[in-house]
């Protein structure tokens, strides 16, 4: 393992080129030449349940803010993922009925557009600082297999990834052509959306964004309840099972068109049902402006856990806003919708029904935490999953301490995020920095547990105040933009005022794991000198638990800073008050792969 005080963090050639071009800077901020493309999406979809067909019309204005002339566009057709695999269904893929570029009919080959990427050639290049208009009419059938989108039950549907979109064109990779396979997640531009969803009467629509026409699609009493919920701490039942039976929620037109808008956001999703309860309340998320965020839930009346979703969400949105990450929830609302996915979307959560209320709350906490990573920060999840899943796992643990107590939160974190990884062989570890598609072993560990442990180790080393200052530097630098790992590394060093490259090299660029060995203890007077070998390699915090001959005990905490000069071996001197009987190294949630060599006993 390389030893260095200020280890240089290597970069792939395309990333190094971005820094050389000045689109990114080594102080962690976007460079003076930073740019990102964007779009304006006007989408209208309709459905006639119980038919699961979606019909859509879409107008995209795509703005090229890059310095490059674009001769083609890469379109993302994520819903085409349902055309592959064991449960493949051609009807579950996008079928384009009409396609126009700048008002002129253009070529679209449905026989070729069967994967999640489709290249559209332009008749003339899209020049820098220019825009192109796309008009697309399309249809597809919602998938009937349990997943992140599709048919929930015969009259309940979740629409995710339901519209053709222009994929990200960025400063370090160009077009994002990473195939979506279901395991890897998403990378989207920040766009402005106007969305219209037309459904038959008695169907309620929940979606990302702000509902623009509640009085046109809801009956007056439901409008009043919705409005009241925006300032209420208590849960208001906008639609109960009884209301739905009496059909007194939606306007009684043959069809209703629900209109939603959202600005500078990375995606839109939609839930539709004629028999889901609708609860809502709100919570203060920004003390400076007294801004409240709406928390809503949509679910079958029989699901006990979802009857708690609004209050679970009020707690998490408030806690995340005021504690970790300590950034006010950036959107106007969040909706928890019962489906199958356990999946996050901007302002929406699609979670499974759980019989264990504690676990239901934890899952919802995790998905709410994703608001910040990847939606506030425009993470490329499909390439660097640890940049969002690792943070959601960290926030899930930190809020869990307040909900369950530290002992229970520690035990759950170890059981759910660490145990399986730490007790498996470590001969094939992939460094966390490995791009997600290239991880050959332990992809889940690289995305969730290992990076989460790194964030918690850094928090332990810097202390809460400095760690939060550094984290906010990173988030202030890159919210609404597209950060990559080196932007995180550089922002944290700048924000903390410390060169943290040695730490980031250790945690992200080495195939390490956690295993300390207490090789020798020498006691002289009131001092004990410990020789500790870092067999696994990770720079972790740990406790030195000292048991004295008289039966009393001390705990002396060590932060990861002890490994700064040498991550292989350290000599540690600790002050002891009495004759030592035994010393044990304990990492807590930083579980040790082999605990048999963690204890020394006096002879």
């Amino acid at each position: 393992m390389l030893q260095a005080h200020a280890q240089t963090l290597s970069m792939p050639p395309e990333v190094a080129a971005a820094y050389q071009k000045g689109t990114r800077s080594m102080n962690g901020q976007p460079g003076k030449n930073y740019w990102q493309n964007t779009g304006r999406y006007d989408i209208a979809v309709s459905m006639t349940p119980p038919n699961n067909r979606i019909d859509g019309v879409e107008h995209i204005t795509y703005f090229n803010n890059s310095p490059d002339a674009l001769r083609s566009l890469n379109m993302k057709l994520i819903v085409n993922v349902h055309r592959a695999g064991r449960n493949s269904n051609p009807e579950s893929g996008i079928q384009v009925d009409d396609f126009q570029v700048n008002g002129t009919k253009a070529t679209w080959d449905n026989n070729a557009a069967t994967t999640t990427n489709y290249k559209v050639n332009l008749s003339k290049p899209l020049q820098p600082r220019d825009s192109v208009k796309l008009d697309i009419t399309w249809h597809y059938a919602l998938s009937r297999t349990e997943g992140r989108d599709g048919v929930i039950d015969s009259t309940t549907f979740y629409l995710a990834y339901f519209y053709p979109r222009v994929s990200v064109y960025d400063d370090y990779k160009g077009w994002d052509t990473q195939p979506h396979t279901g395991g890897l997640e998403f990378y989207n531009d920040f766009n402005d959306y106007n969305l219209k969803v037309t459904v038959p009467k008695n169907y309620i629509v929940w979606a990302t964004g702000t509902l623009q026409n509640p009085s046109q699609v809801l009956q007056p009493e439901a409008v009043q309840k919705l409005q009241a919920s925006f300032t209420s701490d208590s849960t208001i039942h906008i639609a109960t099972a009884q209301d739905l039976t009496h059909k007194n929620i939606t306007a009684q037109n043959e069809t209703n068109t629900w209109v939603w808008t959202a600005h500078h956001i990375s995606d839109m999703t939609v839930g539709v049902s004629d028999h889901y309860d609708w609860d809502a309340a709100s919570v203060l998320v920004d003390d400076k402006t007294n801004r409240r965020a709406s928390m809503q839930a949509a679910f079958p009346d029989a699901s006990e856990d979802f009857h708690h979703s609004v209050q679970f969400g009020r707690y998490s949105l408030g806690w995340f806003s005021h504690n970790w990450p300590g950034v006010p929830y950036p959107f106007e609302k969040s909706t928890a919708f019962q489906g199958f996915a356990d999946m996050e979307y901007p302002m929406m959560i699609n979670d499974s029904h759980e019989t264990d209320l504690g676990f239901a709350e934890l899952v919802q906490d995790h998905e709410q935490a994703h608001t910040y990573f990847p939606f506030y920060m425009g993470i490329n999840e499909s390439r660097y999953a640890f940049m969002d899943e690792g943070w959601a796992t960290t926030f899930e643990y930190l809020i869990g301490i307040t909900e369950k107590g530290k002992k229970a939160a520690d035990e759950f974190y170890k059981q759910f995020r660490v145990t399986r990884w730490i007790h498996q062989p470590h001969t094939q570890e992939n460094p966390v920095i490995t791009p997600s598609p290239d991880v050959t072993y332990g992809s889940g560990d690289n995305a969730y547990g290992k990076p989460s442990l790194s964030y918690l180790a850094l928090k332990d080393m810097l202390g809460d105040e400095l760690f939060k200052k550094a984290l906010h530097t990173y988030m202030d630098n890159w919210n609404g933009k597209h950060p990559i790992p080196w932007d995180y590394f550089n922002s944290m060093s700048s924000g903390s005022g410390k060169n943290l490259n040695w730490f980031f090299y250790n945690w992200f660029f080495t195939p390490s794991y956690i295993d300390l060995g207490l090789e020798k203890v020498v006691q002289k007077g009131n001092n004990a000198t410990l020789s500790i070998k870092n067999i696994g390699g990770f720079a972790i915090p740990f406790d030195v638990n000292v048991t004295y001959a008289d039966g009393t005990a001390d705990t002396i905490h060590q932060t990861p800073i002890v490994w700064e000069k040498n991550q292989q071996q350290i000599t540690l001197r600790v002050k002891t008050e009495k004759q030592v009987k035994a010393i044990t190294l304990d990492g807590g949630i930083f579980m040790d792969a082999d605990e048999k060599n963690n204890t020394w006993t006096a002879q």
Side-chain angles (χ1 to χ4, degrees):
M1 185 183 299
L2 291 178
Q3 301 299 323
H5 179 75
Q7 174 69 47
T8 300
L9 302 179
S10 60
M11 299 179 184
E14 66 272 14
V15 171
Y19 285 89
Q20 291 162 6
K21 289 184 295 188
T23 55
R24 297 167 194 266
S25 63
M26 296 304 291
N27 66 5
Q29 296 177 358
K32 66 182 189 324
N33 298 325
Y34 181 78
W35 55 266
Q36 65 190 48
N37 291 352
T38 187
R40 203 163 50 225
Y41 285 69
D42 290 292
I43 305 170
V45 296
S46 61
M47 58 188 308
T48 55
N51 187 330
N52 66 328
R53 173 171 160 141
I54 303 297
D55 288 281
V57 177
E58 175 178 33
H59 308 287
I60 305 172
T61 304
Y62 180 71
F63 298 90
N64 180 17
N65 298 319
S66 82
D68 307 322
L70 305 178
R71 299 182 180 278
S72 61
L73 304 176
N74 188 64
M75 304 298 293
K76 283 288 181 186
L77 310 171
I78 298 171
V79 79
N80 278 358
V81 72
H82 296 299
R83 300 183 64 148
R86 194 173 49 190
N87 298 313
S88 62
N89 179 2
E91 293 184 2
S92 294
I94 296 286
Q95 295 290 313
V96 169
D97 304 306
D98 187 62
F99 179 57
Q100 297 183 22
V101 178
N102 289 329
T104 301
K105 191 171 182 61
T107 300
W108 184 288
D109 185 354
N110 283 317
N111 292 322
T114 59
T115 65
T116 56
N117 289 288
Y118 179 67
K119 181 180 176 181
V120 171
N121 292 316
L122 300 175
S123 59
K124 63 176 183 177
L126 175 60
Q127 297 297 329
R129 294 173 296 283
D130 201 356
S131 63
V132 62
K133 295 183 185 299
L134 309 177
D135 296 292
I136 309 172
T137 303
W138 84 99
H139 70 273
Y140 75 100
L142 285 166
S143 171
R144 294 186 180 276
T145 60
E146 291 188 11
R148 289 173 171 171
D149 66 306
V151 177
I152 308 299
D153 61 43
S154 61
T155 57
T156 304
F157 311 90
Y158 197 82
L159 282 65
Y161 335 114
F162 59 94
Y163 57 96
R165 70 191 77 190
V166 183
S167 71
V168 176
Y169 183 81
D170 63 29
D171 63 313
Y172 67 98
K173 286 284 283 182
W175 286 114
D176 170 37
T177 58
Q178 174 63 44
H180 180 72
T181 60
L184 301 174
E185 293 189 0
F186 308 100
Y187 185 30
N188 295 320
D189 274 323
F190 289 88
N191 303 310
D192 292 338
Y193 289 91
N194 185 67
L195 172 65
K196 297 177 180 178
V197 182
T198 300
V199 292
K201 64 183 176 183
N202 301 317
Y203 279 84
I204 302 172
V205 177
W206 298 267
T208 302
T210 302
L211 179 61
Q212 297 297 310
N213 62 336
S215 59
Q216 278 74 55
V217 294
L218 295 170
Q219 295 184 33
E221 187 176 354
V223 174
Q224 292 171 6
K225 288 180 178 180
L226 176 61
Q227 191 63 38
S229 74
F230 295 148
T231 55
S232 175
D233 291 336
S234 302
T235 301
I236 292 176
H237 306 298
I238 299 172
T240 65
Q242 187 176 26
D243 292 326
L244 296 164
T245 299
H246 293 159
K247 305 187 186 308
N248 61 8
I249 296 299
T250 75
Q252 293 299 291
N253 306 309
E254 195 61 31
T255 63
N256 292 310
T257 298
W258 301 61
V259 180
W260 304 85
T261 60
H263 301 287
H264 196 61
I265 201 163
S266 57
D267 204 358
M268 297 283 280
T269 55
V270 178
V272 176
S273 182
D274 69 345
H275 65 274
Y276 267 25
D277 289 4
W278 183 5
D279 283 353
S282 63
V283 60
L284 180 67
V285 294
D286 191 339
D287 295 339
K288 290 182 180 177
T289 63
N290 288 319
R291 179 171 64 86
R292 298 178 74 91
S294 171
M295 182 65 216
Q296 303 181 29
F299 55 94
D301 191 63
S303 295
E304 172 62 22
D305 55 333
F306 271 83
H307 283 276
H308 299 267
S309 282
V310 164
Q311 292 303 321
F312 286 165
R314 285 189 68 253
Y315 183 77
S316 62
L317 296 186
W319 194 91
F320 291 143
S321 297
H322 293 98
N323 296 278
W324 295 104
V327 171
Y329 179 75
F331 304 131
E332 62 266 30
K333 81 160 196 291
S334 178
T335 301
F337 187 93
Q338 184 181 319
F340 307 120
D342 298 332
M343 183 65 190
E344 71 282 352
Y345 313 85
M347 300 191 220
M348 296 280 281
I349 297 166
N350 176 351
D351 275 351
S352 307
H353 166 54
E354 300 287 350
T355 55
D356 181 332
L357 287 183
F359 190 71
E361 183 175 28
L362 177 132
V363 173
Q364 185 167 308
D365 288 346
H366 180 94
E367 310 312 346
Q368 292 284 23
H370 274 299
T371 292
Y372 298 97
F373 304 90
F375 302 136
Y376 184 65
M377 314 283 285
I379 305 298
N380 183 347
E381 300 177 87
S382 66
R383 187 165 182 80
Y384 299 117
F386 64 86
M387 293 184 72
D388 77 299
E389 293 296 358
W391 282 110
T393 300
T394 299
F395 297 148
E396 157 208 306
Y397 165 68
L398 293 173
I399 194 174
I401 293 172
T402 71
E403 294 166 346
K404 305 176 180 66
K406 189 168 188 308
K407 182 179 179 181
D410 283 2
E411 285 305 311
F412 183 88
Y413 183 88
K414 288 193 289 187
Q415 174 192 339
F416 201 51
R417 301 301 190 188
V418 187
T419 296
R420 186 192 55 78
W421 164 63
I422 204 62
H423 289 143
Q424 69 186 13
H426 297 282
T427 55
Q428 302 179 64
E429 292 285 347
N430 287 255
V432 175
I433 197 68
T434 308
S436 303
D438 301 334
V439 175
T440 56
Y441 180 77
S443 58
D445 302 318
N446 265 35
Y448 292 81
K450 287 160 65 176
S452 175
L453 288 167
S454 86
Y455 304 142
L456 292 168
L458 186 56
K459 177 175 179 286
D460 185 274
M461 186 173 83
L462 295 179
D464 284 3
E465 184 177 351
L466 188 56
F467 179 74
K468 183 172 284 187
K469 178 176 180 288
L471 177 58
H472 285 188
T473 299
Y474 169 48
M475 296 179 76
D476 289 345
N477 284 347
W478 288 97
N479 77 79
K481 301 179 178 68
H482 292 310
I484 54 179
W486 294 266
D487 301 317
Y488 163 67
F489 304 145
N490 295 331
S491 292
M492 295 299 283
S493 287
S494 294
S496 66
K498 298 177 182 294
N499 189 328
L500 299 172
N501 281 359
W502 74 270
F503 179 88
F504 293 130
Y505 177 80
N506 174 272
W507 272 96
F508 289 86
F509 291 81
T510 69
S512 298
Y513 60 105
I514 302 172
D515 185 10
L516 301 184
L518 181 53
E519 295 188 309
K520 187 170 68 170
V521 175
V522 177
Q523 187 177 23
K524 281 189 179 180
N526 288 338
N527 291 295
T529 301
L530 286 61
S531 296
I532 303 172
K533 186 174 183 181
N534 194 346
I535 301 163
F538 274 149
I540 66 162
F542 60 95
D543 288 338
V544 178
N545 292 330
V546 183
T547 303
Y548 296 109
D550 64 3
T552 60
D554 273 340
T555 295
I556 304 148
H557 184 68
Q558 306 295 323
T559 82
I561 199 68
V562 299
W563 304 105
E564 182 178 15
K565 301 292 195 298
N566 188 330
Q567 287 110 60
Q568 292 178 324
Q569 182 91 31
I570 57 171
T571 299
L572 189 66
R573 291 176 178 84
V574 298
K575 189 173 180 58
T576 56
E577 298 179 355
K578 300 169 256 187
Q579 184 64 34
V580 174
K581 179 182 178 182
I583 293 179
T584 298
L585 307 181
D586 182 5
I589 60 172
F590 295 84
M591 295 177 69
D592 200 289
D594 179 11
E595 296 180 351
K596 294 193 295 294
N597 57 5
N598 286 21
T599 298
W600 170 89
T601 303
Q603 299 301 311

